[in-house]
Amino acid sequence: MYHFTALVTLLAILFYFFITINVSRSRTKTGVKVPAMSGHPDFERAFRIQMNTLEWMPIFLPSLWLFAIYISDAGAAAIGAIWIIGRIVYFIGYSKAAAKRGPGFFIQGIAAIALWAGSLGALVLRLV
């Protein structure tokens, strides 16, 4: 059973739900009407936070689960929690200014790479 990894997966989805709602709130606050995708810098940053997170989910989630399967449920969950923390730092920084998104991006990027590389390494070791 992969209880810890399942919990981190659900937390990542909850965070994604939160930032999706944030885009909707930002539309209302800034007056950017559907279907417009630009028009106010605050809205555009909220939208990019959501889209960037969505762009990373196909890298993060499979790597998270493969790491749990091939290495460790608790290890995957710990690194996955770091990924979520990185996304939160990214959200806070980018919400203030585009130039402040770097630290969060770095944290989540390192976590995702660790999950992917760990999964690949464990798989290769089993194949040889």
Side-chain angles (χ1 to χ4, degrees), residues 14-32 41-51 53 87-88 90-96:
L14 179 63
F15 178 70
Y16 185 74
F17 182 69
F18 167 77
I19 61 174
T20 300
I21 296 298
N22 187 59
V23 171
S24 180
R25 287 189 319 206
S26 183
R27 270 190 189 282
T28 302
K29 182 178 175 184
T30 61
V32 176
D42 290 346
F43 168 74
E44 291 172 11
R45 285 193 310 274
F47 180 69
R48 280 306 310 149
I49 292 165
Q50 179 199 19
M51 288 291 89
T53 303
R87 293 312 306 180
I88 292 168
Y90 181 84
F91 167 80
I92 292 167
Y94 206 167
S95 292
K96 294 176 183 173

Side-chain angles (χ1 to χ4, degrees), residues 13-85:
I13 293 167
L14 179 63
F15 178 70
Y16 185 74
F17 182 69
F18 167 77
I19 61 174
T20 300
I21 296 298
N22 187 59
V23 171
S24 180
R25 287 189 319 206
S26 183
R27 270 190 189 282
T28 302
K29 182 178 175 184
T30 61
V32 176
K33 305 291 183 203
V34 173
M37 301 308 291
S38 64
H40 193 282
D42 290 346
F43 168 74
E44 291 172 11
R45 285 193 310 274
F47 180 69
R48 280 306 310 149
I49 292 165
Q50 179 199 19
M51 288 291 89
N52 187 265
T53 303
L54 181 62
E55 292 160 3
W56 275 88
M57 295 287 263
I59 297 166
F60 168 67
L61 288 172
S63 298
L64 174 75
W65 279 93
L66 289 168
F67 192 100
I69 292 165
Y70 284 100
I71 298 176
S72 163
D73 177 39
I79 299 170
I82 293 168
W83 185 86
I84 294 170
I85 291 166

Side-chain angles (χ1 to χ4, degrees), residues 3-15:
H3 300 300
F4 295 124
T5 302
L7 178 60
V8 167
T9 299
L10 292 170
L11 290 173
I13 293 167
L14 179 63
F15 178 70

